[in-house]
Amino acid sequence: MKNILKKAALLLLPVAAYFCVFAAFEPNNYFGLRPETYSEAPIARLKAYGQAPGPRVIIGDSRLAHFDMQQVEAVSGRAWQNLAFGGASLREGVDVLNWVLEQNPDLEEVVFGLSFYTVTKTYDADRMSTLQKTLDNPLAYFFNLEYNVNMLTALSERLRGVPGGGSEETGDWSWPADYTGPDGTVYPLHTRLATYPAALLSRCQGWALNEEQLARLCTAAAACRARGVRLTVVLPPMADVVLTEACEPYGIPRQMQQELLPRLQGWSLFYGFQVLDYEWADRPAFNDDKQFFDGFHLDTTYGLPVWTEQLFTDIG
């Protein structure tokens, strides 16, 4: 029996060693071994919030994921935690909001991102159920292939001396190099911005409101009102080229401005939340070529700090 146990222990040693390496280098700080993480993955942000839930959160997709949180605190006078992540659908945003309401009985304030891109039935990603299982089960996290690849990438970068850090979406664009496409086409805007609308077309075709998820948002807003949680729904700005090349050809401005936005304003009165619309009604006067990194994402050096100041001043 002792020999069997010894052999079993020897067999488990490599697994234990790998687990130690995994825990030390996985970039999402799942086990809370580091003071903070630069990872913007949903698992990282949700796990950090679950470990230390604060009273104010930001929920949305990548357009709300890259705020300089020190600037946010300086402008608003209050500390926030950012739970926004890339590609978050309206369904996932509502899921995160409901999860936060469950996690934190002392929640005070929520900024919730919404846009024409997330309210349509043509985009309805659903990852929260899987995320919740992983949040509650370390073994599920450890045996997840994606997170193992993330760990190995982070370990490789550490060994090569590559510095860690958050996403930087910024550029000092040079003419003509940054304005010329692979086929030699010269664009009036830098290439990344000029070609961005083409990536949105599949989601704009057949655009229609996702009534099921909008109803869930109303239910969540009612829960916020009942709990005394201040909710602000934010429609982030988009570049002019997205409006003209991705939205207008499919009649999206009319549907947003005549169908959804009046309803949203009515809901805001009934459910007691604030609406800040920088997508249609109050579009900031940004220089697209200078202040947008692409059609959706503001340049983190030249655009996002300006909008951060505006947004959190308007929130008050």
Side-chain angles (χ1 to χ4, degrees), residues 43-315:
I43 188 69
R45 292 190 160 179
L46 296 178
K47 189 67 175 179
Y49 187 80
Q51 292 168 343
R56 300 171 193 88
V57 298
I58 299 167
I59 297 171
D61 63 14
S62 56
R63 285 167 286 182
L64 274 64
H66 304 315
F67 288 125
D68 178 335
M69 299 309 291
Q70 291 183 338
Q71 183 189 7
V72 170
E73 182 173 354
V75 175
S76 68
R78 306 184 292 280
W80 295 75
Q81 288 166 281
N82 199 334
L83 304 184
F85 55 86
S89 65
L90 176 56
R91 177 191 297 271
E92 291 172 329
V94 176
D95 285 344
V96 172
L97 176 53
N98 288 333
W99 179 80
V100 169
L101 286 167
E102 292 175 1
Q103 291 288 310
N104 188 1
D106 299 320
L107 186 67
E108 297 177 8
E109 197 166 358
V110 175
V111 168
F112 188 94
L114 196 71
S115 82
F116 81 88
Y117 189 80
T118 60
V119 298
T120 174
K121 290 192 292 187
T122 58
Y123 184 59
D124 194 23
D126 182 8
R127 292 167 286 182
M128 192 59 184
S129 58
T130 301
L131 280 169
Q132 283 187 281
K133 291 176 182 177
T134 309
L135 286 169
D136 299 332
N137 187 346
L139 288 178
Y141 182 72
F142 177 67
F143 287 108
N144 184 285
L145 178 60
E146 177 185 353
Y147 300 134
N148 278 268
V149 171
N150 294 159
M151 183 278 293
L152 293 171
T153 301
L155 176 58
S156 174
E157 290 175 349
R158 179 72 66 85
L159 294 175
R160 291 184 287 115
V162 177
S167 297
E168 287 293 330
E169 295 183 337
T170 185
D172 290 302
W173 312 109
S174 300
W175 177 270
D178 294 323
Y179 293 77
T180 305
D183 61 355
T185 301
V186 179
Y187 298 100
L189 304 167
H190 65 78
T191 305
R192 184 183 292 273
L193 176 57
T195 59
Y196 191 80
L200 306 177
L201 297 184
S202 63
R203 303 276 169 78
C204 295
Q205 296 167 353
W207 192 95
L209 290 174
N210 191 331
E211 299 289 356
E212 177 187 355
Q213 299 309 318
L214 287 170
R216 292 184 66 229
L217 176 60
C218 288
T219 301
C224 288
R225 181 188 61 182
R227 291 262 301 270
V229 176
R230 183 186 182 196
L231 174 64
T232 302
V233 174
V234 175
L235 285 74
M238 61 179 165
D240 289 344
V241 68
V242 172
L243 174 63
T244 58
E245 296 187 18
C247 294
E248 289 179 350
Y250 300 99
I252 295 173
R254 178 190 59 79
Q255 295 179 78
M256 285 292 295
Q257 293 173 302
Q258 295 182 17
E259 296 179 28
L260 179 62
L261 290 173
R263 290 165 61 185
L264 198 60
Q265 292 295 344
W267 292 337
S268 73
L269 295 174
F270 186 79
Y271 295 108
F273 61 83
Q274 181 181 23
V275 179
L276 296 177
D277 175 15
Y278 306 99
E279 189 175 53
W280 305 99
D282 190 22
R283 302 187 67 225
F286 288 130
N287 180 322
D288 286 4
D289 192 56
K290 182 67 174 178
Q291 292 179 282
F292 274 92
F293 183 73
D294 56 34
F296 269 168
H297 304 92
L298 287 161
D299 186 290
T300 53
T301 298
Y302 303 108
L304 187 58
V306 179
W307 186 54
T308 303
E309 183 83 24
Q310 180 183 5
L311 172 60
F312 284 93
T313 298
D314 290 346
I315 289 173

Side-chain angles (χ1 to χ4, degrees), residues 15-25 33 142:
V15 177
Y18 182 80
F19 177 81
C20 291
V21 173
F22 179 86
F25 291 100
L33 300 180
F142 177 67

